[in-house]
Each structure stands twice: as C-alpha cells, then as structure tokens.
Amino acid sequence: MSPLQLDELPKPSLTPVPIPAPASVGAPTPTQARQRRRRLRWALSLLPLLLIGGYAAFDWPTVHDSAVRLAGADLWWLLAGTVFNILCWMAASVTRQGALPERLPPGPLLASQFAAGAANHVLPAGLGAHAVTLRFLQNQGISIPRATASLALYSLVKPVAKTLLILGFLLAFPGTLRIGQLVPDAETLTVAAIGVVCALAAAALLLTVVRPLRRPLLDCLSTALTDARLLHTRPIRVLQLWGGAAAFPLLQACVLASVGSSLGLQLPWVHVIFAYLAASAAVGAVPAPGGIGPVDAALVFTLVVFGAAVPVATGTVIGFRVITVWLPLVPGALVLSGMVRRKML
C-alpha cells in the first residue's frame, strides 16, 4: 500500500475516556458521619453529669456537713424554701423573655433556665447559664447578634434592679437596718474603683489592638441599643424585664429566710432579705461558679452583723446552698442532657 493510501485511512479517535476518581482514603460515609454525631451528642449529654460528680467529690465535706446540720430542721419551712427556689427559675425565664422582642415558647424556655442553673454551678461568672441560653436562643431562630445583645441586657438589668431594691429597703426601713459595718471603708472602695478602671482600660486596649473584634462588638452594641429602645416601648416587655430582674433576688432571699426559720434563726425576714441583697451585691461579681464561696462568706458575715449566732448563720447558709445548688443540680443536669440529645441546645 502506497503512502498516499495510508493517509486516506480513517484515524482512530483520541478522545480521552473519563476514568472515575478513586474515593478519598478515610472519608466518612453518611452512615459513619451520623454515628459520629450521635456519639458526640451522647458525650455532650453525659458531660454535665461527669462535671457535677467531680464537683461533688471536690466539695464533699460541705455536702456531708449540710446533711448533718439540716437533719433537725423544720421540714415545712424547707419545703417553703424549695417552692421559692422553683419560683426563681420562673422569674429568670420571665426576665429572659423580657430581654427579647420575639416571643419564646414558655415551656422550653423554662426548661432551658432549669438546665442553665445546673451549668451555672460548673462554670464561673455565669458563663454556663449564658452558654446554655445562647444555644437555646439560636435554636429558636434568634441570630447571634440579637441573642448576644439579649444576654448583655439581661446581665446589665440584674445588678441595676438589685441596687434599686437595696435603695428601696434603705428608704423603707431607715432605722431598723444595721448597715454601719456593711459599708466598705475607703481602702476597699479605692481597690474596687481601680479594678473597674483597669477592666475598662483592658477592654479599650483589646478593641484597639485586636481589630477583628471591633466589627462584631460594635454590631452587638448597636443591636443591644436598638433592642433596648424597642423593648422599652412595650409595657409588657418592660414589666417582664424589670419585674423578673427584681423578683429573682427577692425570691432567693426568701429561700434564705425560709431555711433560717427552719433552723430557728431569730431575725426578721426584712433583715435576712436585706442581708442577702447586700452580700450578693457586694461580692456577686467575683468569678466563682454560682457565686459559691465568696457569697457564702459574705452571707454569714451579714447575718452575724444583724445579730445571728455564728453556728445558726453558718447552718442557714449551708441549707440555702443545699436547696439552691445541690438538690436541683442532678435534675438540672438531666434536663440539660435531654435537651442536648433532642437537639434543643
């Protein structure tokens, strides 16, 4: 065959045949991914119980001493204190609702605050409760800036409402409250002022140096101011926000007074309630889990200043912690675990 005839023959097609790419080694299948998510959810649901077990083991002497001191207490007064403590979670839920323009489902909101109470006694400075509430609000469709602004407003209103209550007590009972020994001296006030100035300076320095934080913080501040103006145009939200913030410390003070009555504390309820407000306002900002430790010492001190015997004052504070911390801790952790498993958090 001549070269000319060879050129006339049809040439084979050079179109490349697609070859399927090999599966990446180690990539999880959808079934494996679901299994991993399920295991992670189980681990998160068990984590609160493990933390509480370690916390109880660390503070076991307090648990044992509490049981011994409360063995001879009046059960009816302890039951009254438990009822007041349940009302505290309702007051917290009302305050949370008042800090948001959107309406939240009452049942899940109350359950989230019950679960947040357990988380609050594990992490310091209320971080546990805020983390649980933030996840709950996100699950309800609230954006991160709106949810964060709600937490900031909630955290701001609580101390302001407590301060107003203290001033109200001082005006209503000017001659019966012994506040001479409770007023801090000049040195203590100076240290507190220096601490506030240093905190503000640190925050300003952080915003100046870390520029990526400016935009989120400014957006959060803008959202908080906008929501605060909007909320204060709605009377029902104003009543929920400020009424709940004022009711919460009063109800916790009633828990303390009920435990004191069960142990024979010879003090009027007005003195006990004011002692709680003063003690929690004085050292409530100390970053301890649930305020345990600094607030307890301040409570014993204020009760003794008002005339209580040291053993009775100590037993009253221990019983107060049993009702507000230890009794609801395990049920709250179970509710927290259940909400994690049901993807409500």
Side-chain angles (χ1 to χ4, degrees):
M1 185 177 295
S2 65
L4 184 61
Q5 291 175 335
L6 289 175
D7 292 337
E8 292 177 356
L9 292 176
K11 297 181 180 179
S13 176
L14 300 178
T15 304
V17 179
I19 301 175
S24 59
V25 179
T29 63
T31 303
Q32 292 175 338
R34 284 194 299 268
Q35 290 177 352
R36 291 182 180 179
R37 286 195 297 267
R38 189 180 300 112
R39 291 170 184 170
L40 178 61
R41 203 157 49 242
W42 270 102
L44 291 176
S45 63
L46 292 177
L47 181 60
L49 297 178
L50 296 177
L51 291 175
I52 289 170
Y55 183 64
F58 176 77
D59 203 22
W60 179 250
T62 301
V63 179
H64 180 267
D65 195 18
S66 304
V68 172
R69 288 182 179 274
L70 293 175
D74 190 331
L75 294 179
W76 288 108
W77 276 116
L78 293 179
L79 180 61
T82 303
V83 173
F84 281 124
N85 193 42
I86 294 173
L87 294 177
C88 288
W89 297 316
M90 300 179 66
S93 301
V94 171
T95 311
R96 294 287 189 187
Q97 175 61 85
L100 268 177
E102 293 85 356
R103 188 177 184 276
L104 300 173
L109 176 60
L110 181 60
S112 70
Q113 295 311 292
F114 187 50
N120 193 43
H121 298 302
V122 176
L123 297 178
L127 295 178
H130 288 331
V132 171
T133 304
L134 181 63
R135 291 296 301 168
F136 172 75
L137 294 179
Q138 286 184 269
N139 186 266
Q140 297 300 317
I142 308 298
S143 64
I144 288 291
R146 300 289 301 277
T148 307
S150 171
L151 297 181
L153 182 61
Y154 175 88
S155 301
L156 176 63
V157 166
K158 286 182 65 177
V160 173
K162 188 179 293 184
T163 302
L164 294 177
L165 286 175
I166 293 174
L167 295 177
F169 268 78
L170 292 176
L171 293 176
F173 307 97
T176 59
L177 297 176
R178 305 174 185 176
I179 61 172
Q181 300 183 42
L182 299 179
V183 178
D185 54 15
E187 183 179 355
T188 304
L189 292 176
T190 303
V191 172
I194 293 175
V196 172
V197 172
C198 290
L200 294 177
L205 180 62
L206 186 64
L207 289 178
T208 303
V209 175
V210 188
R211 293 187 176 183
L213 290 178
R214 292 182 187 178
R215 177 62 63 183
L217 289 178
L218 291 177
D219 290 344
C220 178
L221 180 60
S222 175
T223 304
L225 293 176
T226 303
D227 286 355
R229 288 194 297 265
L230 176 61
L231 290 169
H232 284 81
T233 61
R234 302 180 182 181
I236 184 62
R237 290 292 186 264
V238 174
L239 180 61
Q240 290 174 328
L241 181 64
W242 291 98
F248 183 83
L250 288 177
L251 290 170
Q252 281 218 317
C254 289
V255 177
L256 182 68
S258 299
V259 176
S261 297
S262 71
L263 296 174
L265 182 66
Q266 300 298 321
L267 286 180
W269 273 43
V270 173
H271 290 181
V272 178
I273 292 175
F274 182 80
Y276 173 81
L277 294 175
S280 59
V283 296
V286 177
I292 298 174
V295 175
D296 294 346
L299 280 175
V300 173
F301 174 75
T302 51
L303 291 176
V304 171
V305 167
F306 280 107
V310 175
V312 180
T314 304
T316 299
V317 174
I318 290 176
F320 170 76
R321 284 304 179 189
V322 169
I323 292 179
T324 57
V325 176
W326 292 110
L327 286 182
L329 202 55
V330 173
L334 293 176
V335 172
L336 178 59
S337 301
M339 296 186 74
V340 170
R341 290 186 57 193
R342 296 186 179 185
K343 302 180 182 180
M344 298 176 66
L345 296 177

